Amino acid sequence: MKLIKATEENIPLIQDLAKRSWENAYSEILSNEQMEYMLSTMYSQSEISAHLKNLDYHYYLVFDENSNEYDGFIGFENHYEENTTKLHRIYLVPESKGKGLGKKTLEFLNEKTLQSGDNRIILNVNKHNSAKKFYESQGYNIYDEGVFDIGNGYVMDDYLMEKSL
């Protein structure tokens, strides 16, 4: 597995990977309408482009050298809060599950967080998303929960998780 820093040219790939992974991760949690709305706003060309222009926001593509395919991506922001990196996005396509890529990608995030001078990682996870158990297995703990209005009558009902490094 190799993590490759994403650029503007990779935005269509990120959008495709997001759509493929979301269809699997959220099909039983969110309505098709909410999924489409969130993908079209959170993964729009302009939204991802703005992230890539932020020097503290980083996207990396997860490349599986064995299959010679992109299996997912991670998006995180150093210095989101004092001494804190926020994991905004980590998604793997369904066919890559079970290869250890998620664990290796989070280990990569730990390294990048420490290199930035931060010593804490936070993330939001949908209360009904099985990924919560994965994050707990990687040392993350719930520190709060929240319901966030994302527009168009939709909300995100999330656990807020953290890990100290």
Side-chain angles (χ1 to χ4, degrees), residues 9-156:
E9 340 179 302
N10 300 124
I11 291 175
L13 176 59
I14 291 168
Q15 291 170 322
D16 178 61
L17 291 166
K19 185 174 184 343
R20 289 171 50 208
S21 62
W22 275 47
E23 287 168 350
N24 180 63
Y26 296 116
S27 63
E28 295 182 15
I29 299 172
L30 305 175
S31 69
N32 285 338
E33 294 80 14
Q34 181 171 352
M35 221 178 341
E36 287 301 319
Y37 171 76
M38 292 175 73
L39 283 168
S40 68
T41 55
M42 298 167 69
Y43 288 91
S44 68
Q45 176 88 21
S46 60
E47 183 76 8
I48 298 172
S49 182
H51 294 161
L52 291 170
K53 289 181 174 106
N54 175 345
L55 296 179
D56 288 324
Y57 204 123
H58 310 279
Y59 277 91
Y60 284 86
L61 299 165
V62 178
F63 185 73
D64 183 344
E65 294 164 304
N66 294 326
S67 65
N68 206 33
E69 291 184 7
Y70 290 98
D71 280 348
F73 65 94
I74 183 172
F76 60 92
E77 185 176 359
N78 299 122
H79 318 305
Y80 182 79
E81 294 174 359
E82 187 174 348
N83 301 316
T84 301
T85 291
K86 179 156 188 182
L87 173 58
H88 288 285
R89 303 153 182 219
I90 180 172
Y91 291 104
L92 298 170
V93 295
E95 52 273 20
S96 71
K97 301 281 165 86
K99 295 182 185 177
L101 300 178
K103 182 178 179 183
K104 289 177 186 168
T105 303
L106 287 182
E107 289 168 357
F108 173 83
L109 175 62
N110 293 346
E111 292 169 25
K112 290 296 187 184
T113 298
L114 290 171
Q115 287 171 8
S116 79
D118 288 343
N119 59 16
R120 177 178 175 244
I121 301 170
I122 60 173
L123 61 88
N124 294 17
V125 64
N126 183 289
K127 288 180 181 173
H128 304 287
N129 189 336
S130 60
K132 175 184 162 280
K133 287 182 175 54
F134 169 68
Y135 292 125
E136 288 172 332
S137 77
Q138 300 306 304
Y140 289 81
N141 298 299
I142 295 171
Y143 70 92
D144 204 353
E145 53 186 78
V147 177
F148 305 95
D149 184 344
I150 57 170
N152 217 36
Y154 298 119
V155 297
M156 293 192 318

